[in-house]
Amino acid sequence: MARTVWDSSVGKKTVMAVSGLIMLLYLVVHMIGNLKIYFGPGEFNHYAHWLRTIGEPFMHYEWTLWLIRVVLVVAVVAHATSAYQLSRRDIRARPTKYVHSRPRASYATRTMRWGGIILGLFIVWHILDLTTGTVHSGGFQEGHPYQNVVDTFSTWYGNVIYIVAMLALGLHVRHGFWSAAQTLGAGSRTRDRALKATANVLALLLTAGFIAVPVGVMTGVVS
Ligand code: HEM
């Protein structure tokens, strides 16, 4: 049964929609949490510490955080695998190849594929930058995310990488949210306009909210 659903295109699209919505929920929370940087190092670092102690004393130190990490990794892998398989299927299903000058897929489809690849690379960079500190520009300090974030956005390439990724994220969420709603059966003649508006507002708020952090550091408001 599960095998049949996974093998069908509708099954893969459902996996994409559900995993996408899980990641979207994480992003909304992450974006709001990041804005605490405007309240200063005390509040921001305290918030990062709280992330590791959620659910205590029932949960041990970092257990809830690890649970969230596992859910996110499963979502990312499921999302990327079904996207790859759907696009392979799409290419194979075409009876004859298009003439070279004609695009292979629609504008939206190509934007989603490139956007997805950019975001996948960004997530790896971002974790190596602000979670493990492997590629971090300053002296990475565990437990002091405020200073680490300020250091990242004190380099030109840090700003470029994050801002480009956040623009890609906005475009990806805008189309992705809409597609997910259609796949999950939320679309209808009367609701489509409201769904499009929701997708636009969500994408805009996420992009603007995330970009507010590098902008804060660049303008010296956060230092
Ligand atoms: C300007 C934008 C962003 C800033 C300033 C930022 C900041 C941070 C910081 C400081 C951490 C480390 C938190 C800690 O260790 O307590 C973190 C972790 C993380 N961020 Fe972001 N983030 C941004 C955008 C994003 C985006 C767009 C994504 C996803 C596409 C993302 C996904 C993650 C993930 C998956 C983690 C790892 C959580 C963990 O396992 O510890 N972030 N971010």
Side-chain angles (χ1 to χ4, degrees):
M1 168 66 188
R3 183 83 230 171
T4 322
V5 173
W6 173 246
D7 282 345
S8 72
S9 290
V10 177
K12 288 188 200 298
K13 282 186 183 168
T14 308
V15 169
M16 291 208 70
V18 174
S19 55
L21 290 175
I22 292 172
M23 292 189 282
L24 185 59
L25 179 68
Y26 170 79
L27 284 173
V28 171
V29 175
H30 190 33
M31 184 273 282
I32 297 172
N34 282 351
L35 289 176
K36 297 197 76 154
I37 198 125
Y38 280 94
F39 295 116
E43 199 154 328
F44 191 73
N45 292 343
H46 179 61
Y47 158 69
H49 177 72
W50 169 79
L51 285 176
R52 286 152 175 85
T53 56
I54 307 173
E56 275 185 8
F58 180 70
M59 297 299 261
H60 185 68
Y61 183 76
E62 283 199 347
W63 274 11
T64 311
L65 181 65
W66 274 104
L67 206 64
I68 298 170
R69 286 170 172 163
V70 170
V71 170
L72 280 177
V73 169
V74 171
V76 169
V77 171
H79 201 76
T81 312
S82 28
Y84 177 74
Q85 293 178 345
L86 278 169
S87 74
R88 294 301 305 163
R89 201 169 272 195
D90 189 29
I91 292 165
R92 256 184 313 193
R94 196 163 291 131
T96 49
K97 281 207 169 99
Y98 285 130
V99 188
H100 278 310
S101 58
R102 293 224 350 235
R104 286 173 143 246
S106 73
Y107 173 74
T109 306
R110 277 180 297 139
T111 319
M112 290 310 274
R113 285 180 193 163
W114 279 108
I117 292 168
I118 291 174
L119 289 170
L121 293 173
F122 166 75
I123 292 170
V124 174
W125 173 269
H126 181 43
I127 289 175
L128 293 177
D129 179 27
L130 288 173
T131 300
T132 64
T134 321
V135 298
H136 192 253
S137 51
F140 182 81
Q141 297 176 62
E142 181 111 41
H144 295 87
Y146 184 93
Q147 192 53 46
N148 296 333
V149 169
V150 170
D151 289 344
T152 287
F153 298 124
S154 301
T155 64
W156 67 267
Y157 61 86
N159 289 310
V160 170
I161 292 172
Y162 278 78
I163 291 171
V164 167
M166 293 318 105
L167 294 175
L169 177 74
L171 290 175
H172 204 80
V173 164
R174 183 169 176 241
H175 185 75
F177 180 82
W178 161 256
S179 302
Q182 301 304 317
T183 300
L184 299 177
S188 77
R189 280 249 305 277
T190 46
R191 268 196 303 258
D192 277 0
R193 269 184 63 179
L195 280 173
K196 273 211 168 110
T198 310
N200 286 342
V201 170
L202 208 58
L204 205 69
L205 280 180
L206 268 182
T207 303
F210 275 126
I211 288 184
V213 179
V215 167
V217 178
M218 279 190 278
T219 53
V221 177
V222 174
S223 61

